[in-house]
Amino acid sequence: MEEGQEGPNSIFYVPGMPSETRPDFRLYTDGDGSISFSEWMQKVRDLGFQGSSISFAVTPRPQDIRRVPLPPPEEKEISGGGVAMAVAKFYRIKCNYCWAIVCEAERETGFDLAEIEGAAEKGCSTCLAICAGIRHFADMIFPRYNTKKIRVRQTMKAKSKLLSDTEAMVVSFDEFNGESFTLTFSDEVTEGAKHLPWNRSRVANERKRIMDTSSYESIRQIKEWLQTCSEEHEYCAVPTESELPTRVLDISNKRAKLIETHGMRAPYVSLSHCWGRKPIIRLLLSNIDKMKKGIPWDELSKTFQDSIVVAWKLGFRYIWIDALCILQDSSEDWEYHASRMAQIFTDSQLTISASSSADGAGGCFSSRLNDPWTLLSTGRQIRNPNLWLPYMQKGRDREGCMKTFNIRLKSPHGLYSHRQPKEPLLNRAWVFQEQILSSRNVHFASGELYFECKSYVACECSGWTARSLSYHWETRWRKSHAILQGQLHFPLPAAATHNQSEDLSKPNLIPRRAAEFEAYRALIESYTSLDITNVHDRLPALSGIMSSRKDTYLGGLWRSILLESLHWYPLPKSHSSRGSSMAYRPARYRAPTWSWTSIESPIRFLETNFYFSNFPTKPVARILEASVTPEGLDPRGRVKDGMLKLSVPLAEAVVRALVVKERDELWNEKMAKERAKIEPDAFDPSFIAELHSKRPVETYAVLAVATAQGGDDSTHGLGQGPIDVECSLDVPLCLARTDPAEIKVGEIVMVVILSTETCLVLKPVLEKPGHYRRVGLLHLPEKGTFRWAKSPIYII
C-alpha cells in the first residue's frame, strides 16, 4: 500500500497508537467487524505462506461505495460487490472533486467550478482553497463571470493524479471566448506532523518568480544558466577567449570607453536592441576620438546603461553595441561590419536582448508588478500589481494537517503567440539574424527571463527544455539555419525518394535537398514578415545567416534549390497580422524581379510538395544560368543587377481585364462573392486604402492564353481558341493611376511553365529583346498550348 491511502472514515483505518513504532492497518470484515492487518497476515503465515508480497482485491463497505472512484481504464479491473477496484491500489476519497481520479477525458473537460464550490460548502477545505484562489484572481481580471461556465482542469501530461496533488491547474472562462489563466499551487505545513515525508513543503524547492529584473536574483539566475550551458552542454562550446571585434566598449572601473582591439583576444558580450525613432548616441567620424577617451554615462540611452550594468555584474569587461562600435556615417565601415555579423554574435559569450523595449528609452529592466495582463479575446490590458503577488489561503490537506496554500497566477509564457512575436525587439528584421547566430542569448522580456543556447531553451517558470523537444516558434529558425549550414539532417518519407528532377540524378541527394528547401522556406517566410526601417537593408540584414553555406548565393536565394524558390508570391501585410500595407517594389532597384527580394512584402511559397507527396510537383523549366552582381564588398549584401536564363515551355497571353478580390491562403478559386472588373484608369489610389482598411484585397489580371488546335511532343496540353486564366499580380498598386503601371489592359505578356502546377507571367522589356520582367504567378491551366521556346529567355 502507498502513502496516503488510509485515514479516518476510509477503507483502511489507522488508529492512534502513540506507543507503537509503526501503524497497524485494519481491514473491515462483515458488518462493522474488523481485523488488524498484522493479525490477518499472521493467519496467512500460519496457513504456510512464506512469500514477501500478496496481491488481493477488496470490496468496500456499503457506506464507502459512493466515495470510491473508478480506476484508470488502462488498469486491470476486478469486480466485487458491484464496484470495480484496481488490483492492489486503494484510494481514500474524501471529496468527489479535489481527490477524484482524473482520467484522460476528464482532463479535457475539467470540473465545473460551481460543483467544486458545493464541495467546499460541505466542508472540503482543499476545494475551499481552490475556489478562493480562482475567485481572487478572476475578480481582478473579469468584471463579471458565471461560475457555471468556468471549468477547472489539471495541466499534467503524465499519468492520472489526484486533483488536489496537482501543482498547476487551468481555469477556463467559456463565456469570454475561451479566455483562461493558469494557477500554480504549493503548500507550507503550518502545524501538524512535519516530520512525515508526505508533508514536505514544495515551496522549499521552488524558486519564486523574479519580480524585478535589475535585482540580484536576476543576475544569479543568468549566471546559473551560463554555468550550466558552458559545463554541461556538449554542442554549446564557445571559446573562453575569442578575437574581439574591431571596436568594443571597455566597461571596467564602472565606466565606458571605446577601444580599437587590433586583434586582442578576450571574452565579451553583445547587445541586441531596438533603435526606435527617438535619437540615441551613435558612433560618428566626428565623435570617435571623444568616445575613445570615455563616454559620459548620462549620454548613453537607458538600454545601453542597463546592458552595461548586466555585463559588468556578470563579470565581463567588454561589450559590443552596434550603434557605438560601427561608424554610422561610413558606408565602408558599415558594410564591413555587416558582413562580419555572423562571427561577432557567434563568438560572443552572451547576447543581451532588450526584448521588451521598443527604443533606447525602454531599457532592459522591468518590474513584474507593472506588467499588464492582456485578454486575448478583446486585447484589453489589466494593470493590477496584486495579479502577480501570491494569494495565501489556509486549509487542511488530505492528512488533516493545517497548511497555508501559496496560490499564484502563472505569467503568460513564451516570446511568441500564434507565430507572431510578442516583444517589440523580435519584430525587427535586423534582430532576426542576431537571435539565430548568437551562441547564447538572454531575453529581458516583459513576462519572464528567457535563455537560449544551441542545445536548450530555458525560462523562469519551466526550466530547461531540449531544442528538439521545444515548441517555441524561434526554435524553428535555429533548426532551419542548422540544416542550411549542413549541421543537421532530417529523415524524409519514402515518397520523397520517388521524385527525381532533371538536375538530380542520384536519389540519395533528394532528401537533403528537400530538407534544405523546407528550411529555407521557413526562414524566408518568417523573415519577410518582420519590420525594417530602410527597405534597402533587407539583404544586408540577412547576410549573417547566409554566410557559411557552401552554395552559390543569388541575392537571397541559393542555386541548388533555385527552381523551387521561384514559386513565391507576396501577401498584403494584413494577411500576416502585421501592419496594413500592400506589397510594393522599392523605388530604387533592390533585386531582379525573379527574386522575392524585389518585393517589399511578407512572402509565401506556393508549391511546397516537391518531395513530400506521392504525387509531387515536378519541375519543368530548366535553369541554364543565374547570376547577380553585388553592389559593394559584401557578396551577400545589396545587389545592383541580376539575370536568370531559362529553357521553358511558353505561350503568349493578352491582358483582358484587371480584377480586385480577396485571396485565401490556399489559392482556392471558390470566392465568396462576384468580383468587379475594372479598367486601370477607373481606379482611384485612395480607394485602395479604403478597401484595405476594411478587408485585405489583391489584384489579378485576367489573361487570354493563346491555344492551338492539335499538338505534338513539344506542346503542353491541347485546346482550341484562347482560354481565360487569372494571374496573381506581384504589385497590387498597378491598378492605381500611376505611370507607368506594370500591366495594362490590352498588352501582351508571356506565360512560362515553371513546374507541373505553376507558371510565371512575364512582361517583355522593350529595350532588350528576349528579356523579361516577372509581374505575377498563376496555376498551370488545364487547357492551352505551351511550346518549348526556340531560344532561352532571360529574366531580369
Side-chain angles (χ1 to χ4, degrees), residues 129 132-134 136-137 386 389-393 404-408:
I134 293 174
H136 173 76
F137 292 102
N386 292 324
L389 296 177
Y391 175 69
M392 314 303 290
Q393 174 71 25
T404 299
F405 292 89
N406 186 317
I407 308 172
R408 291 175 179 268

Side-chain angles (χ1 to χ4, degrees), residues 183-435:
L183 295 182
T184 60
F185 286 78
S186 56
D187 51 61
E188 294 176 334
V189 180
T190 56
E191 62 179 71
K194 293 187 179 181
H195 64 280
L196 296 179
W198 54 82
N199 283 331
R200 291 174 184 169
S201 171
R202 287 192 294 263
V203 174
N205 299 321
E206 182 185 83
R207 168 159 290 174
K208 296 182 179 179
R209 187 185 183 207
I210 298 172
M211 300 306 294
D212 188 346
T213 55
S214 64
S215 63
Y216 169 75
E217 288 77 10
S218 175
I219 299 299
R220 183 183 66 176
Q221 177 66 83
I222 298 172
K223 283 184 176 180
E224 289 182 5
W225 283 334
L226 277 172
Q227 183 178 2
T228 301
C229 179
S230 60
E231 293 179 358
E232 300 181 13
H233 297 172
E234 180 181 356
Y235 300 104
C236 295
V238 179
T240 54
E241 291 190 355
S242 305
E243 183 176 341
L244 294 174
T246 305
R247 305 180 193 92
V248 293
L249 294 182
D250 185 340
I251 57 174
S252 59
N253 300 323
K254 297 183 181 180
R255 62 190 180 95
K257 69 173 182 178
L258 184 70
I259 65 169
E260 294 185 347
T261 59
H262 302 292
M264 290 171 50
R265 301 183 66 85
Y268 68 96
V269 297
S270 53
L271 173 66
S272 179
H273 67 106
C274 277
W275 286 48
R277 297 185 178 182
K278 298 179 180 179
I280 59 174
I281 184 173
R282 300 179 302 155
L283 179 63
L284 305 170
L285 291 169
S286 58
N287 64 6
I288 184 171
D289 292 333
K290 177 183 176 182
M291 287 192 178
K292 288 180 180 179
K293 297 177 182 179
I295 306 174
W297 187 255
D298 58 359
E299 291 185 10
L300 295 170
S301 70
K302 181 68 166 57
T303 300
F304 294 166
Q305 292 175 353
D306 290 354
S307 64
I308 290 172
V309 169
V310 172
W312 184 78
K313 288 185 176 181
L314 291 175
F316 292 96
R317 179 175 179 177
Y318 302 108
I319 183 172
W320 185 87
I321 301 176
D322 53 0
L324 303 180
C325 298
I326 301 175
L327 285 167
Q328 301 301 315
D329 54 354
S330 170
S331 58
E332 293 81 6
D333 193 69
W334 184 90
E335 188 175 343
Y336 169 76
H337 282 91
S339 66
R340 295 276 299 168
M341 285 293 181
Q343 199 65 40
I344 291 173
F345 283 99
T346 300
D347 290 345
S348 172
Q349 297 290 314
L350 177 69
T351 296
I352 300 169
S353 293
S355 303
S356 62
S357 177
D359 53 40
C364 296
F365 304 138
S366 62
S367 171
R368 303 307 188 204
L369 297 179
N370 296 326
D371 289 348
W373 177 275
T374 304
L375 293 175
L376 296 178
S377 57
T378 63
R380 183 169 64 91
Q381 290 189 334
I382 295 93
R383 295 184 182 273
N384 190 333
N386 292 324
L387 278 172
W388 311 115
L389 296 177
Y391 175 69
M392 314 303 290
Q393 174 71 25
K394 288 188 176 182
R396 293 187 180 274
D397 65 2
R398 61 182 179 179
E399 290 83 25
C401 300
M402 182 62 71
K403 292 186 177 181
T404 299
F405 292 89
N406 186 317
I407 308 172
R408 291 175 179 268
L409 179 66
K410 187 176 180 181
S411 59
H413 177 76
L415 298 171
Y416 290 78
S417 176
H418 303 291
R419 300 187 176 184
Q420 297 299 323
K422 293 195 295 186
E423 305 292 349
L425 177 67
L426 303 180
N427 284 322
R428 305 300 301 172
W430 271 105
V431 174
F432 187 74
Q433 65 176 356
E434 297 172 4
Q435 303 300 309

Side-chain angles (χ1 to χ4, degrees), residues 584-602:
Y584 68 94
R585 293 194 198 277
R588 186 162 62 89
Y589 183 89
R590 194 167 77 172
T593 59
W594 45 268
S595 170
W596 58 263
T597 54
S598 64
I599 299 289
E600 181 56 30
S601 168

Side-chain angles (χ1 to χ4, degrees), residues 51-190:
S52 59
S53 64
I54 297 177
S55 295
F56 55 92
V58 176
T59 300
R61 296 177 300 173
Q63 59 265 40
D64 290 326
I65 290 177
R66 181 178 57 84
R67 297 183 286 107
V68 177
L70 293 177
E74 66 272 13
E75 297 193 35
K76 182 179 179 181
E77 295 182 354
I78 294 180
S79 180
V83 178
M85 290 294 296
V87 175
K89 292 212 173 200
F90 307 92
Y91 297 93
R92 184 176 87 84
I93 302 303
K94 186 176 181 180
C95 174
N96 288 334
Y97 302 105
C98 70
W99 283 11
I101 301 296
V102 180
C103 301
E104 291 294 335
E106 291 173 320
R107 269 196 221 132
E108 295 297 326
T109 59
F111 295 94
D112 191 316
L113 181 60
E115 296 174 325
I116 302 179
E117 286 181 330
E121 292 175 357
K122 293 179 181 178
C124 178
S125 59
T126 305
C127 279
L128 179 62
I130 292 174
C131 293
I134 293 174
R135 282 190 173 277
H136 173 76
F137 292 102
D139 288 345
M140 289 186 283
I141 295 176
F142 300 100
R144 59 169 183 79
Y145 53 88
N146 186 345
T147 56
K148 294 183 179 180
K149 295 185 178 181
I150 299 177
R151 308 295 292 177
V152 183
R153 66 182 188 276
Q154 291 190 64
T155 60
M156 288 175 38
K157 295 181 181 179
K159 61 182 181 180
S160 299
K161 194 174 184 179
L162 299 181
L163 184 61
S164 59
D165 288 343
T166 188
E167 295 182 8
M169 58 181 61
V170 177
V171 184
S172 301
F173 296 78
D174 295 336
E175 61 183 321
F176 292 102
N177 297 323
E179 291 284 358
S180 65
F181 58 65
T182 302
L183 295 182
T184 60
F185 286 78
S186 56
D187 51 61
E188 294 176 334
V189 180
T190 56

